[in-house]
Amino acid sequence: MTVDDTGPGADADRVDPQPADSGEDPLALRLEQLILGAERRYTPFQAARSAGVSMELASRFWRAMGFADIGQARALTEADVLALRRLAGLVEAGLLSEAMAVQVARSTGQTTARLAEWQIDSFLEGLTEPPEPGMTRTEVTYPIVELLLPELEEFLVYVWRRQLAASAGRVVQAADDEEMVDRRLAVGFADLVGFTRLTRRMEEEELGELVEAFETTAADLIAAHGGRLVKTLGDEVLYVADDAGTAAEIALRLIETMANDETMPKLRVGMAFGTVTTRMGDVFGTTVNLASRLTSIAPRDAVLVDSAFAEELIRTRDAPASETEAAEEAAAAEKEGEEPPAYRFGLQPMWQRPVRGLGVVEPWLLTRRGGTG
């Protein structure tokens, strides 16, 4: 289609809605229109022109959000144009650099893509089971989506605002500007032992249920005790906490919870404490790598931590430097008629060993002292 020079957003750039392609499923098109709230109206070039951005920048935004190139098919809507205008407007106003706007598009796209896949695969599939014999899933999908869409949209925005508020609170409490990106955190990996062997013995559906149960249990425990789940990798979860004591409590509760569930494989956890670089909701750096390596050498049903993590627990009086020191403190407190220090955790130095890419490390075995807290 030829577009004249009347300017971005002008009526000359508007086109009639695209008629349904005979090769596309009519229900899929109806669902798309219901979910997007608008009809297909623009080619990528027309959308970019209407939004007042270059085709190059529009393509960068589109790909960053995780969508495939569509050539010059008339597949975009007014909502796509508005999204382009908003991102470009933030750049023009100087609120975001172009690189940051692309990063916003990418982080949002990656996060919501996973959410959408889960909702369709696990959630919507179960709800659209035909209620009566003779009905097809397609006959009940549209009305179910129509009813759920506004409620799920409101809930998504609510959760996002809650998470944004929590994250903003953590950032403004950082000691200096550098800590906003490179922060000192406790990093933990929890890994199911023997998962590869399980994949060869279990049916796919059974394996999927096990992974979902593990991820759900881990996510709930991490959140409940003040940590933040960074990501799940099937048989492994990665989480962070602002302090070593919180991370240690989560690790031990994960071990204890899984050990009490006969349907679950054994678990092992590795943790490290130090500077962490955060990008797009993920964490990177030597501290993360060290936590991962410690997980791979941890015994089953056990937690290994690095020396910096152990030192942090000792500094905050969450663990004694040694059991000998704890016994001496308890004896001195008893002599004075005082309560002995209430250490939550115990630390046992393990063998030093070389770790690929990280040199020689000294792991410490983390245990619980006293009750479960």
Side-chain angles (χ1 to χ4, degrees):
M1 175 180 177
T2 302
V3 182
D4 65 23
D5 295 326
T6 51
D11 290 341
D13 282 340
R14 296 181 62 83
V15 294
D16 292 330
Q18 173 75 359
D21 190 309
S22 59
E24 295 189 67
D25 186 283
L27 176 61
L29 289 172
R30 287 180 63 217
L31 278 172
E32 177 190 283
Q33 185 174 335
L34 170 66
I35 293 169
L36 297 180
E39 296 177 324
R40 297 181 178 185
R41 185 175 294 274
Y42 299 98
T43 68
F45 175 76
Q46 292 163 349
R49 182 179 177 84
S50 185
V53 302
S54 69
M55 186 63 198
E56 179 185 1
L57 183 57
S59 295
R60 289 185 66 196
F61 285 152
W62 182 254
R63 290 168 185 162
M65 286 186 284
F67 301 121
D69 291 340
I70 57 174
Q72 285 305 315
R74 196 185 301 172
L76 304 184
T77 72
E78 291 287 355
D80 297 302
V81 172
L82 181 58
L84 286 176
R85 280 190 191 139
R86 281 176 170 159
L87 278 176
L90 292 173
V91 175
E92 291 173 5
L95 295 173
L96 295 178
S97 67
E98 187 173 305
M100 182 60 70
V102 171
Q103 194 175 68
V104 167
R106 180 170 291 111
S107 61
T108 307
Q110 289 179 357
T111 302
T112 53
R114 185 178 181 190
L115 174 63
E117 288 288 342
W118 179 88
Q119 289 177 331
I120 293 299
D121 290 345
S122 303
F123 185 50
L124 188 58
E125 184 177 345
L127 284 178
T128 55
E129 286 292 338
E132 298 178 9
M135 291 187 69
T136 65
R137 174 172 276 128
T138 56
E139 289 175 314
V140 297
T141 297
Y142 190 94
I144 288 292
V145 172
E146 192 172 26
L147 288 171
L148 285 174
L149 190 61
E151 301 302 324
L152 291 178
E153 182 177 15
E154 288 291 331
F155 186 69
L156 175 62
V157 172
Y158 155 73
V159 175
W160 170 71
R161 284 182 177 272
R162 266 288 174 191
Q163 293 286 5
L164 194 66
S167 183
R170 289 191 295 268
V171 168
V172 298
Q173 292 178 42
D176 52 47
D177 289 345
E178 286 187 6
E179 283 195 26
M180 291 187 180
V181 177
D182 297 316
R183 305 166 58 194
R184 286 178 62 78
L185 295 173
V187 179
F189 279 92
D191 176 59
L192 292 176
V193 179
F195 185 77
T196 302
R197 290 193 301 274
L198 280 177
T199 61
R200 294 194 289 263
R201 297 202 319 260
M202 299 177 71
E203 298 291 335
E204 287 187 8
E205 184 175 350
E206 189 180 9
L207 189 65
E209 290 174 354
L210 184 146
V211 168
E212 184 175 357
F214 167 58
E215 291 183 349
T216 300
T217 301
D220 287 349
L221 280 172
I222 291 165
H225 294 283
R228 298 187 295 285
L229 179 66
V230 176
K231 59 186 174 184
T232 59
L233 304 169
D235 62 330
E236 189 174 56
V237 297
L238 167 61
Y239 70 94
V240 297
D242 292 328
D243 62 90
T246 297
E249 181 65 33
I250 290 169
L252 291 171
R253 284 186 180 266
L254 284 170
I255 293 289
E256 292 158 0
T257 301
M258 297 299 175
N260 290 328
D261 188 341
E262 295 180 355
T263 66
M264 281 290 173
K266 300 297 184 181
L267 191 70
R268 57 189 178 186
V269 180
M271 295 189 293
F273 186 85
T275 301
V276 174
T277 298
T278 60
R279 288 288 187 278
M280 292 175 59
D282 208 343
V283 290
F284 307 92
T286 301
T287 304
V288 179
N289 295 339
L290 181 53
S292 178
R293 298 284 198 278
L294 289 172
T295 307
S296 66
I297 63 174
R300 61 182 58 194
D301 283 346
V303 181
L304 289 186
V305 304
D306 75 326
S307 56
F309 195 105
E311 289 169 6
E312 187 66 11
L313 287 180
I314 294 167
R315 185 188 70 81
T316 57
R317 305 288 289 173
D318 281 309
S322 68
E323 289 303 316
T324 300
E325 179 179 298
E328 291 173 351
E329 289 178 337
E334 183 179 1
K335 186 176 180 179
E336 296 294 327
E338 300 174 351
E339 286 292 324
Y343 295 113
R344 291 194 290 163
F345 310 112
L347 292 165
Q348 177 185 339
M350 306 291 283
W351 64 98
Q352 288 189 350
R353 59 180 296 170
V355 173
R356 181 169 53 86
L358 297 171
V360 177
V361 299
E362 181 185 6
W364 293 67
L365 181 67
L366 177 75
T367 57
R368 188 186 294 284
R369 300 178 89 249
T372 58

